[in-house]
């Protein structure tokens, strides 16, 4: 970093170059602000790249989170075109193998969240995807809204586009030790910034630790796999019955109670390990499959073979085929809270702290970034 950069004054410093940080930088740059993004890593390595790259709208918590996902999906489509980020595939198929699951889907279709969705019967679904041969398939909720990017490529391309198109400055490999606006103290010198947004992901102790501690956050560890190309193309991302009790847009419906009870009887081990099924397909045909959820202040770094086996068992049940060979395994972590999907705090008048606490950063981040910048520029007041 040059000494001249240390002498510059920025309108906004964003701490954290994950999807929420990049989304905030975009929203600020669109408003004409001079922005610097500071990140401790040399490249994206956290939750923003260890995921499905799946922008999930259908099933997000009703009202604000669903609305944020709708808006974020719009921005993703705009950004993908401008930043040369391929949309790998679109849409969602939520499969149902139980009568109770169908009741949840029917209840969902009666809400405002069912826009751009329809229910398929098994024959319709199999005409579209003959490989979906699960004998107990009863229905499929088809959504046309979702989009999927390859996170490992999309996040670096988004950052490069922000730098080249909007002049956003990136300071990589740099930690921030303290903030006393207009001073942002880093491991490479002091940065002068009028405003700051801190997007720490699941780092609860580096900045504003006392504020974060008030919210009782935990970390969630998840296991994911990449499977070999099955030799066919899925019509969309695919989920199964287990997702209907995890995603709040379905799970909060009254009809979900009966399904929850049946799953507790029939798939107790999957519920114990927080497993639900998401299957997305990459451009090379391989499948990204997951995932599980284990919560702790500091989760261990080890994956369990039995958890992978349970994920693959749900794949087998949902599609009716044997899973292709496993090519890759990894672990991700993200911030989690029992009482909220999103934490936005104002530790100072011109500072914001933002943590997505439900694993939906890719799905809601662009809308959150816009809200953060609006809060700083349009009101200047605490949120």
């Amino acid at each position: 970093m040059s000494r001249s950069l240390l002498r510059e004054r920025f309108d906004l410093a964003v701490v954290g170059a994950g999807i929420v940080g990049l989304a905030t930088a975009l929203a600020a740059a669109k408003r004409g602000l001079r922005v610097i993004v500071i990140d401790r890593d040399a490249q994206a390595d956290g939750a923003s790249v260890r995921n499905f790259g799946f922008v999930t709208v259908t099933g997000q918590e009703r009202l604000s989170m669903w609305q944020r996902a709708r808006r974020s999906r719009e921005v993703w489509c705009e950004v993908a075109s401008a930043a040369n980020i391929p949309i790998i595939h679109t849409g969602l198929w939520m499969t149902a193998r139980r009568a109770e699951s169908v009741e949840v889907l029917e209840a969902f279709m009666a809400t405002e969240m069912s826009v751009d969705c329809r229910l398929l019967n098994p024959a319709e679904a199999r005409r579209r995807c003959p490989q979906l041969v699960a004998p107990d398939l009863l229905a499929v909720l088809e959504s046309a809204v979702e989009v999927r990017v390859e996170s490992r490529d999309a996040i670096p391309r988004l950052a490069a586009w922000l730098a080249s198109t909007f002049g956003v400055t990136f300071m990589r490999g740099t930690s921030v030790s303290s903030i006393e606006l207009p001073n942002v103290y880093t491991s490479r010198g002091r940065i002068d910034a009028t405003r700051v947004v801190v997007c720490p992901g699941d780092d609860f102790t580096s900045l504003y630790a006392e504020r974060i501690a008030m919210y009782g956050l935990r970390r969630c560890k998840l296991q994911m796999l990449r499977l070999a190309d099955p030799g066919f193309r899925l019509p969309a991302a695919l989920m199964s019955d287990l997702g209907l009790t995890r995603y709040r847009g379905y799970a909060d419906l009254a009809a979900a109670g009966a399904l929850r009870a049946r799953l507790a009887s029939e798939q107790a081990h999957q519920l114990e390990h927080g497993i639900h099924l998401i299957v997305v397909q990459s451009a090379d045909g391989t499948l990204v499959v997951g995932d599980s959820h284990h919560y702790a202040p500091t989760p261990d770094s080890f994956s369990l073979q039995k958890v992978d086996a349970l994920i693959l068992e749900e794949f087998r049940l949902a599609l009716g085929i044997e899973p292709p060979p496993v090519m890759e395994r990894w672990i991700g972590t993200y911030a989690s809270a029992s009482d909220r999907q999103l934490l936005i705090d104002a530790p100072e008048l011109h500072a914001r702290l933002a943590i997505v606490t439900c694993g939906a950063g890719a799905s809601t981040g662009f809308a959150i970034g816009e809200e953060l910048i609006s809060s700083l520029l349009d009101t200047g007041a605490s949120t």
Side-chain angles (χ1 to χ4, degrees):
M1 183 181 66
S2 66
R3 292 184 177 275
S4 62
L5 183 58
L6 292 176
R7 292 194 295 268
E8 292 184 40
R9 184 177 184 87
F10 294 91
D11 300 310
L12 175 72
V14 178
V15 183
I19 184 58
V20 177
L22 296 181
T24 302
L26 173 61
K30 284 183 173 180
R31 298 285 295 267
L33 272 61
R34 179 161 170 70
V35 181
I36 184 170
V37 177
I38 309 166
D39 196 271
R40 63 189 177 188
D41 292 321
Q43 62 187 30
D45 187 51
S48 293
V49 295
R50 302 187 200 181
N51 58 34
F52 297 94
F54 185 38
V55 181
T56 312
V57 178
T58 310
Q60 295 292 350
E61 186 179 31
R62 202 169 190 171
L63 300 177
S64 59
M65 288 301 284
W66 180 73
Q67 292 163 356
R68 290 182 178 114
R70 296 277 297 186
R71 172 58 186 158
S72 295
R73 187 262 187 196
E74 292 177 359
V75 180
W76 265 115
C77 290
E78 296 168 4
V79 166
S81 176
N84 194 28
I85 299 172
I87 300 294
I88 306 299
H89 59 72
T90 62
L92 164 68
W93 278 27
M94 173 65 79
T95 65
R97 308 191 307 272
R98 298 169 174 87
E100 292 87 347
S101 301
V102 177
E103 292 174 1
V104 174
L105 295 182
E106 290 173 342
F108 177 83
M109 289 299 296
T111 73
E112 77 285 356
M113 298 181 291
S114 66
V115 61
D116 298 316
C117 297
R118 66 188 185 114
L119 281 180
L120 307 179
N121 62 40
E124 291 174 309
R126 290 180 178 128
R127 278 197 296 271
R128 298 266 301 281
C129 185
Q131 295 80 14
L132 193 62
V133 296
D136 50 357
L137 181 69
L138 296 179
V140 173
L141 174 69
E142 180 185 40
S143 166
V145 180
E146 281 67 23
V147 297
R148 197 245 160 177
V149 300
E150 197 72 65
S151 295
R152 298 181 194 184
D153 299 327
I155 296 301
R157 290 190 184 194
L158 174 57
W161 175 72
L162 287 170
S164 63
T165 302
F166 293 97
V168 173
T169 298
F170 283 84
M171 185 185 293
R172 302 277 188 179
T174 305
S175 62
V176 176
S177 57
S178 64
I179 298 169
E180 299 173 12
L181 291 177
N183 301 310
V184 178
Y185 295 98
T186 83
S187 56
R188 300 171 70 186
R190 181 184 64 84
I191 299 297
D192 192 333
T194 306
R195 308 167 188 85
V196 66
V197 174
V198 176
C199 306
D202 65 345
D203 178 358
F204 304 152
T205 58
S206 294
L207 293 170
Y208 298 127
E210 72 288 350
R211 305 287 295 200
I212 296 174
M214 296 189 301
Y215 294 94
L217 303 186
R218 300 178 296 170
R219 292 180 177 89
C220 177
K221 181 185 82 170
L222 52 90
Q223 292 183 205
M224 297 182 64
L225 310 99
R226 184 180 296 274
L227 309 185
D229 184 349
F232 61 87
R233 285 284 168 174
L234 293 174
L238 187 142
M239 295 189 191
S240 71
D241 302 53
L242 291 168
L244 294 173
T245 60
R246 282 203 65 88
Y247 278 79
R248 297 285 297 273
Y250 312 114
D252 289 347
L253 299 171
L259 174 60
R260 194 173 292 110
R262 182 168 176 181
L263 290 175
S265 173
E266 296 179 353
Q267 292 191 284
H269 292 303
Q270 278 86 352
L271 296 184
E272 176 188 354
H273 294 285
I275 289 170
H276 73 122
L277 183 71
I278 303 178
V279 182
V280 297
Q281 196 157 31
S282 295
D284 63 0
T286 59
L287 304 176
V288 178
V289 179
D291 56 358
S292 57
H293 300 79
H294 295 93
Y295 302 90
T298 303
D300 64 54
S301 301
F302 307 101
S303 62
L304 297 175
Q305 184 176 359
K306 67 179 181 181
V307 172
D308 286 352
L310 288 169
I311 293 171
L312 294 174
E313 178 184 331
E314 184 65 9
F315 178 101
R316 187 179 296 110
L317 292 170
L319 278 80
I321 63 173
E322 284 299 310
V326 177
M327 300 176 62
E328 192 176 27
R329 293 179 170 88
W330 67 92
I331 287 174
T333 64
Y334 63 78
S336 176
S338 60
D339 63 342
R340 66 188 64 238
Q341 305 258 292
L342 171 66
L343 186 165
I344 295 180
D345 190 87
E348 301 179 45
L349 180 63
H350 298 298
R352 295 293 181 269
L353 171 67
I355 304 175
V356 178
T357 55
C358 63
S363 300
T364 61
F366 282 118
I368 292 168
E370 291 175 345
E371 291 174 29
L372 291 167
I373 297 307
S374 178
S375 169
L376 285 170
L377 297 186
D378 300 336
T379 66
S382 299
T383 55

